[in-house]
Each structure stands twice: as C-alpha cells, then as structure tokens.
Amino acid sequence: MKQIAPSVLSANFANLREELEMINRSDADMLHVDVMDGVFVPNISFGFPLMKPMKQYSTKPLDVHLMIVHPEKYVERFCDAGAWSVGFHLEATDDPMPAIELIRKKGVRTCLTINPDIDVHRLDPYLAEVDMVLLMSVFAGFGGQSFIPETIDKIRYVRQEIARRQLPTLIEVDGGINTKNAADVFAAGADVLVAGSAVFGAKDPIAAIRLMKGL
Ligand code: DX5
Ligand code: ZN
C-alpha cells in the first residue's frame, strides 16, 4: 500500500495543533518528525518538548527521523515520548546494532537511514534487522530541496534485495517528494514517501496527499 508521511518540519509551528488536526483529517499514514542536532546536520530543528504536543494532538503514528550523532544515547527517550518508529543514520554510528536493540526492546519499530552519499550496499547486513530503511533523496538537514534522481536506482536495488530475501522490511524515501514525482518513486519500489513542503506548502494539503497516494 502506498503510504505518505507528511514532515512536520514544514508545518506552521505557530499553529501546530491546527496543522496536526488537518493531517489527522487527511489520508496521511504517519507523521514524519525530523529531529536535527546541529552536529550531524548543519541545522537544528526541535527535540523532546515538541514530542508532547505531537503525541497529544496527532492521531497519526509518529515516525521519528533522528539526524543526530550518538543516536544510542537518545533513542529510548524518543520511544518513551510516544514514537511509533525511531530511525537514525547508519553513518552516525560505528555499529547501528546497539541502538537498534534499544529501540526494539521498547517495542517500537526500527528504521535505519542513509544519506545520498552513503553506499546503499552498506544497508545489506541490516535489512533483516530493521522494520524499515529510509533512503534520503536529498542531503539531510533542510526541507525544500530537490529530489536527487539517482535515488531511483537505489530504491530499485533495495526493493529487489528485500524481495529476493523475502523480507517484510519497508522502504521509506525522504526529500524532494511532490505530486509530480511521487508516482515514479512508488513505482521504483518505495512503500512510504515523506513530503514536507509539498504538503504544508500546498494550497490544499489534503488534496496533495491524495494526489501523491494516487487516490
Ligand atoms: C530533511 C528531512 C526531510 C524534510 C523533507 O533533512 O529529513 O524529512 O523535511 O522535506 P521536503 O519534502 O520539503 O524535501
Ligand atoms: Zn526526514
């Protein structure tokens, strides 16, 4: 099933509750929560204080994307704050397994992410260890960037590998997704598309989500 995860990073935080309630009424499947530490990426977004209103007002599962160094230090707190899934970057760790185990022990879904400059084959050993892999289609750090076309081949590769090994692992793609390219990205094998500016910047976000899902 084609799933859309609007990225709250592009929401109007002055009206966060209204924005979340609008997403609740939409066909969105989850709410993507981008956490940036200013070290792993050259930008700072938000952290634990905003998890509370998001958990309170969003009826959609919270898909947390950690763009932080030492994810193993913080994954449990995001689980406790109500995350439905917690993802972090493979290249932010020497070994992703300890953080994966911590998330798993909390009963929360695990997600492993790579930036566009990381060899997609580095995910191979972990495809059976996580619930979802997140392929960045822009460099993590900012909303509103353009989709990097080379991501399509990486999605195809991971889709093939998951099929060959008969794994239930989901493929999520994040960055530069819009109503024009969503169909192609799904066709390449993605299960979940993150969309920030294409949702919250749209005149009619609810219609944009439906369009991206092909509804
Ligand atoms: C980028 C974030 C993305 C971002 C997507 O670092 O991980 O989730 O919010 O925004 P758009 O859809 O505008 O590229
Ligand atoms: Zn993200």
Side-chain angles (χ1 to χ4, degrees):
M1 201 199 53
K2 296 176 180 174
Q3 301 187 54
I4 294 288
S7 167
V8 75
L9 187 66
S10 297
N12 177 355
F13 285 92
N15 293 317
L16 181 60
R17 182 173 171 177
E18 285 82 354
E19 296 275 65
L20 295 175
E21 286 170 348
M22 179 275 291
I23 296 299
N24 291 347
R25 292 191 303 273
S26 79
D27 290 293
D29 298 276
M30 24 184 142
L31 186 76
H32 187 79
V33 178
D34 285 309
V35 176
M36 304 178 185
D37 68 353
V39 180
F40 180 70
V41 287
N43 198 10
I44 299 176
S45 57
F46 51 78
F48 299 111
L50 274 190
M51 285 297 287
K52 214 175 159 184
M54 289 199 254
K55 188 65 194 163
Q56 187 177 359
Y57 295 115
S58 176
T59 56
K60 305 287 182 183
L62 303 181
D63 171 40
V64 174
H65 174 194
L66 300 178
M67 287 161 270
I68 65 173
V69 295
H70 302 304
E72 68 285 350
K73 285 190 187 170
Y74 297 103
V75 289
E76 288 171 298
R77 279 184 69 189
F78 280 99
C79 293
D80 293 339
W84 179 84
S85 69
V86 173
F88 62 91
H89 280 255
L90 173 60
E91 68 272 26
T93 65
D94 295 327
D95 173 8
M97 284 315 293
I100 290 172
E101 295 289 355
L102 290 171
I103 302 165
R104 229 191 240 155
K105 277 200 193 111
K106 288 282 185 184
V108 171
R109 285 149 206 83
T110 53
C111 177
L112 196 58
T113 305
I114 53 166
N115 256 316
D117 59 344
I118 303 299
D119 184 351
V120 68
H121 296 98
R122 282 183 59 188
L123 286 176
D124 289 350
Y126 308 108
L127 290 179
E129 304 290 343
V130 290
D131 297 291
M132 188 155 80
V133 288
L134 169 51
L135 301 175
M136 290 304 299
S137 39
V138 300
F139 281 89
F142 299 90
Q145 306 177 70
S146 302
F147 184 86
I148 298 173
E150 286 75 19
T151 315
I152 293 287
D153 281 340
K154 295 182 187 174
I155 302 168
R156 288 200 183 111
Y157 167 74
V158 178
R159 170 53 58 207
Q160 232 175 33
E161 194 58 17
I162 283 173
R164 189 179 66 78
R165 291 160 62 182
Q166 296 185 304
L167 299 172
T169 319
L170 295 176
I171 302 174
E172 185 175 34
V173 179
D174 182 5
I177 300 290
N178 54 47
T179 53
K180 291 192 185 79
N181 61 18
D184 290 344
V185 184
F186 277 128
D191 298 292
V192 185
L193 302 187
V194 175
S197 40
V199 169
F200 291 99
K203 268 205 189 108
D204 185 344
I206 289 185
I209 291 166
R210 287 186 65 82
L211 262 177
M212 284 188 263
K213 291 184 77 167
L215 298 173

